[in-house]
Amino acid sequence: MVKKFYITTPIYYPNDVPHIGHAYTTIVADALSRWNKQKGKDVYFLTGTDDHGKKIAETAREAGKSPKEFVDILVPKFKDAWNKLDIKYDRFIRTTDKDHEKLVKEMLQKSYDNGDIYLGKYEGLYCVGCEAYYTEKDLVENCCPIHKKPVEKVKEESYFFRLSKYQKDLLKLYKDNPKFIYPKSRKQEIVNRVKEGLRDLSISRTSFDWGIPLPFDKKHVCYVWFDALFNYLSGSGKNEKYWPADLHIIGKDIIWFHTVYWPAFLLSVNKKLPKEIFAHGWWTFDREKISKSRGRVINVDELISITGNKDSVRYFLLRATPFGDDGDFSEKVLIDRHNNELANKLGNLVSRVSGLIEKFGVEKTTNKLLKKLDEKKINSLMENFEVDKALNEIFSFIDRCNEYVQEKKPWETKDKKILFELKESILKISEVLLPFIPESAEKIKKQFLAKKIVKENPLFIKIEEKIEEKANKQEKLIGIMDTKEADFSDWEKLDLRVAQIKSVEDVEGADKLYKITLDVGEIGKRIICAGLKQFYSKDKLKGKRIIYFSNLKPRVLRGIESQGMLLAASNKERTKVSLIAPDSEIELGSTIG
Ligand code: MSP
């Protein structure tokens, strides 16, 4: 009988375009899905978006859109990114899909009927970024430990899920299924926390309505995590054909939701539990957390544009760190791997051997070279999710093939048997590389299976060559090698002026923004929106002389056209912000530089 393999990614919040972190999880899941397919399993791969919740509702409002309009604009960007990265999923689920909404209502009703949901009052500290409650002791300097932003005091009537009831079942689950939480290093922390005791979980909200209404009380909408986790069940194929999931791939940030809430919800509605949950590490950007507010985000298009090749991105992310560990993104390492491993090692092997075969042909013989490829080892590494090590193994075989060419010198000996061995080995390489770099692997396969092998264009253009090539075409190179360095001409483009704050108003519905009117001397009056409310009172701002970026493209924030920005310093966490001001009464409109 064919074994099934149901694999999932988290469903991502569509509140911005996907970035390297989302891409990483999805690429790993895609590679594992393709690999299992190759092994003959009946694979089902689910990904999608988490459309509901307060975070989405707020971001949509800031953009002046309804939540549904807003997510409908962003969801295609996820699909587009996955398409560009050759992600081959079986279903892209959205929590706004009708079948999902129906299932969530059924599950809520079932859990309610089983006596696991009751009405109570909730008072707590909520972080919208995490869509989760915290206790005082979780906070760091009164802020959410993950987003480093102030939490909200929330007090509302709420339905609760009897999470506390499942403590024993959960501990038994972890004990009886050593592979339920992977890697092991993350498991103990969960076990310890569950042992400390579980509090019942608030699973409904009345303060906003962007969610699935509870079937037994329509005033309430379902808590986004109850809604979201059930995507794995509603997306599990016709009549839940593929349930239970064989593997949920997630980031370490959401391990608690997946290893505690999720099995408890499933136990409550009498459904089978997923078999394994793998929580991978966190990507940083030049050692800093990836964060939208601080501008350290690299999205999928930017990522691909560095080398111009999607397979380099897939390869880099899969190989860069042991799966499970944290990783630091650097353009330089991506370019180095692209040049040294893909262009030099793999690309050169393919191009040299195809050129030689084009000239001299092949003659069948026993293949001693291919025996050096340890497929058993690769298989066992992949079964343990050691994706990076599997790639290491494949690349040491590629090294071996390159050495073989050097040793045997087929360009001198014209030995068709050696070329046969190399051809078959390269075909095997294309097969084992397919889950990781599908486009290039397909190209190699096509080329080497062709009746007449003809040397094709290089598989991977080395980055320096690409730069030269582009330079010849007189194209702009900015951003290819080193995006950090700014040119003097970049600075010259900015027009910074001394301005005075004339008036400050609140912006309806925004807790961070002020609408500020400026006098910029010869430039005249300007209106801007600035996120200063947490840091300055209106009185402190009024009359202040500041530095103003006058020629930025206007942006619409909360329906107000903001005509530029103020110059300010902020600490890493963005918990402190200080305006930069001229230290004398210089005329308004004076330039800076
Ligand atoms: N919507 C929830 C998940 C619900 S699943 C039932 C959510 N969404 S998210 O958009 O915030 O995506 C979180 C996931 O994106 C992480 O678990 C991880 O897989 C991936 N990553 C986001 N940022 C990341 C890094 N900086 N590094 C690695 N992966 C990260 O949480």
Side-chain angles (χ1 to χ4, degrees):
M1 213 181 89
V2 178
K3 227 176 144 187
K4 73 145 184 94
F5 184 73
Y6 176 26
I7 180 168
T8 68
T9 72
I11 44 170
Y12 306 107
Y13 291 124
N15 56 355
D16 204 341
V17 293
H19 61 61
I20 180 173
H22 307 127
Y24 178 59
T25 318
T26 317
I27 290 171
V28 172
D30 184 64
L32 288 169
S33 154
R34 286 173 182 267
W35 184 81
N36 277 281
K37 225 174 252 173
Q38 257 188 359
K39 297 293 146 209
K41 289 191 197 161
D42 175 16
V43 175
Y44 190 76
F45 172 20
L46 181 76
T47 188
T49 51
D50 194 352
D51 291 0
H52 291 130
K54 194 168 180 181
K55 176 151 85 180
I56 297 281
E58 282 189 358
T59 324
R61 191 153 42 102
E62 275 163 24
K65 299 253 180 314
S66 77
K68 184 69 169 72
E69 277 167 1
F70 182 73
V71 291
D72 282 350
I73 294 170
L74 278 152
V75 168
K77 304 207 190 277
F78 278 79
K79 290 189 176 168
D80 181 48
W82 301 158
N83 191 20
K84 286 179 180 154
L85 286 169
D86 268 347
I87 307 295
K88 222 173 168 184
Y89 50 78
D90 293 288
R91 176 168 174 189
F92 187 104
I93 194 170
R94 296 178 57 178
T95 49
T96 43
D97 288 346
K98 287 286 157 281
D99 62 337
H100 171 75
E101 295 194 345
K102 183 166 167 270
L103 179 125
V104 170
K105 285 184 195 160
E106 282 165 16
M107 294 302 119
L108 284 162
Q109 190 66 52
K110 210 163 162 189
S111 181
Y112 184 69
D113 294 343
N114 286 347
D116 279 347
I117 296 178
Y118 64 91
L119 186 62
K121 268 225 160 55
Y122 194 85
E123 215 180 320
L125 304 165
Y126 196 70
C127 169
V128 183
C130 299
E131 296 276 19
Y133 286 102
Y134 285 102
T135 59
E136 293 281 355
K137 80 171 193 306
D138 299 324
L139 304 184
V140 178
E141 292 176 2
N142 278 324
C143 290
C144 155
I146 294 179
H147 291 87
K148 314 273 190 281
K149 287 194 180 150
V151 287
E152 285 172 38
K153 257 214 168 95
V154 178
K155 189 176 177 180
E156 54 185 330
E157 185 185 70
S158 173
Y159 282 89
F160 283 79
F161 175 77
R162 288 189 204 283
L163 187 63
S164 54
K165 178 176 143 186
Y166 290 97
Q167 183 193 24
K168 273 206 188 111
D169 292 317
L170 290 171
L171 290 171
K172 184 169 176 333
L173 165 73
Y174 308 144
K175 199 162 165 230
D176 296 348
N177 302 277
K179 280 187 152 187
F180 184 69
I181 306 176
Y182 233 82
K184 285 196 189 97
S185 52
R186 301 201 200 280
K187 180 175 163 181
Q188 202 49 44
E189 199 189 319
I190 299 292
V191 174
N192 292 347
R193 271 179 72 188
V194 174
K195 273 188 185 155
E196 277 172 23
L198 292 169
R199 286 189 309 161
D200 289 350
L201 177 72
S202 156
I203 57 145
S204 77
R205 302 282 180 271
T206 50
S207 55
F208 65 96
D209 60 4
W210 181 233
I212 301 176
L214 302 189
F216 42 85
D217 188 343
K218 307 239 164 20
K219 282 202 308 290
H220 291 247
V221 292
C222 175
Y223 171 44
V224 68
W225 275 99
F226 190 99
D227 171 354
L229 286 160
F230 274 100
N231 93 85
Y232 299 133
L233 188 65
S234 41
S236 64
K238 206 160 181 251
N239 301 323
E240 297 171 11
K241 175 177 171 202
Y242 290 92
W243 192 255
D246 293 84
L247 180 61
H248 291 315
I249 303 259
I250 57 166
K252 65 179 183 180
D253 53 324
I254 55 177
I255 191 168
W256 181 254
F257 304 98
H258 280 79
T259 59
V260 180
Y261 295 179
W262 183 218
F265 294 159
L266 286 166
L267 287 169
S268 166
V269 294
N270 301 317
K271 294 278 179 191
K272 286 192 181 147
L273 303 183
K275 292 186 190 145
E276 290 182 30
I277 296 169
F278 192 110
H280 65 67
W282 202 249
W283 278 92
T284 49
F285 193 124
D286 288 338
R287 307 242 161 256
E288 301 243 10
K289 188 176 178 314
I290 290 172
S291 124
K292 214 168 93 184
S293 55
R294 305 208 52 231
R296 290 186 163 270
V297 190
I298 180 153
N299 67 39
V300 170
D301 285 336
E302 287 163 342
L303 205 50
I304 297 176
S305 75
I306 297 169
T307 60
N309 189 309
K310 57 180 147 194
D311 278 345
S312 310
V313 174
R314 290 179 63 111
Y315 177 76
F316 165 79
L317 290 176
L318 293 168
R319 179 106 193 251
T321 86
F323 189 50
D325 290 4
D326 292 340
D328 188 49
F329 175 75
S330 118
E331 256 183 54
K332 189 178 172 314
V333 182
L334 168 57
I335 291 172
D336 284 352
R337 283 202 184 268
H338 168 95
N339 282 350
N340 300 338
E341 287 153 38
L342 295 175
N344 276 354
K345 291 183 173 176
L346 176 62
N348 274 350
L349 177 69
V350 166
S351 124
R352 279 174 95 183
V353 174
S354 60
L356 290 166
I357 296 180
E358 189 183 3
K359 261 198 189 147
F360 307 120
V362 294
E363 190 181 317
K364 205 168 170 182
T365 182
T366 44
N367 199 335
K368 293 185 292 285
L369 176 63
L370 191 52
K371 293 210 175 83
K372 303 273 189 260
L373 177 72
D374 194 345
E375 262 199 287
K376 249 197 186 149
K377 187 167 174 193
I378 297 172
N379 287 345
S380 94
L381 289 169
M382 286 301 278
E383 265 149 32
N384 273 329
F385 317 120
E386 293 181 279
V387 183
D388 58 304
K389 295 205 180 62
L391 274 171
N392 268 343
E393 201 53 41
I394 299 172
F395 269 75
S396 39
F397 181 62
I398 293 172
D399 286 343
R400 182 66 206 113
C401 291
N402 276 317
E403 284 160 19
Y404 201 65
V405 178
Q406 279 311 107
E407 279 162 30
K408 301 287 175 191
K409 302 192 176 20
W411 61 92
E412 276 177 21
T413 62
K414 302 177 187 164
D415 188 337
K416 293 183 185 178
K417 288 186 172 155
I418 298 290
L419 291 173
F420 174 83
E421 284 185 89
L422 284 162
K423 177 188 162 189
E424 297 294 305
S425 299
I426 291 175
L427 272 169
K428 188 72 199 177
I429 290 170
S430 76
E431 185 190 315
V432 289
L433 278 180
L434 189 100
F436 310 97
I437 50 170
E439 189 183 58
S440 315
E442 281 292 350
K443 272 192 199 159
I444 301 173
K445 186 173 146 194
K446 237 172 130 187
Q447 190 182 345
F448 279 77
L449 277 184
K451 272 216 178 94
K452 186 163 172 25
I453 296 180
V454 177
K455 190 177 165 186
E456 301 264 357
N457 293 330
L459 260 187
F460 297 95
I461 304 171
K462 276 181 79 179
I463 294 299
E464 298 88 357
E465 290 166 18
K466 208 175 136 185
I467 288 169
E468 256 171 44
E469 194 186 286
K470 283 205 168 184
N472 289 341
K473 287 190 202 153
Q474 307 256 304
E475 278 182 24
K476 254 175 97 186
L477 289 178
I478 291 177
I480 290 194
M481 288 305 278
D482 190 355
T483 48
K484 295 286 164 304
E485 222 166 75
D487 247 311
F488 189 69
S489 61
D490 295 331
W491 162 253
E492 276 183 327
K493 277 185 219 150
L494 296 172
D495 185 30
L496 277 83
R497 302 288 185 130
V498 174
Q500 188 175 34
I501 297 180
K502 287 292 169 193
S503 67
V504 186
E505 294 162 61
D506 289 326
V507 177
E508 209 189 303
D511 45 3
K512 293 179 190 130
L513 288 182
Y514 277 139
K515 177 180 168 189
I516 297 176
T517 308
L518 299 173
D519 180 352
V520 203
E522 60 181 31
I523 289 186
K525 283 217 161 46
R526 289 289 173 93
I527 290 176
I528 59 161
C529 286
L532 292 174
K533 204 161 167 176
Q534 288 159 287
F535 310 105
Y536 287 90
S537 68
K538 288 186 200 155
D539 286 347
K540 267 232 164 111
L541 287 176
K542 248 179 257 164
K544 205 171 173 62
R545 277 168 189 254
I546 45 84
I547 311 291
Y548 164 64
F549 290 82
S550 80
N551 62 342
L552 296 180
K553 226 182 179 173
R555 280 174 65 195
V556 178
L557 291 168
R558 304 259 178 176
I560 302 165
E561 186 182 84
S562 178
Q563 305 162 311
M565 256 168 55
L566 303 184
L567 188 64
S570 67
N571 65 346
K572 263 194 190 165
E573 295 76 28
R574 235 186 145 73
T575 50
K576 286 183 198 152
V577 167
S578 171
L579 283 167
I580 313 286
D583 66 359
S584 71
E585 295 266 302
I586 188 163
E587 291 91 59
L588 300 183
S590 300
T591 54
I592 320 287

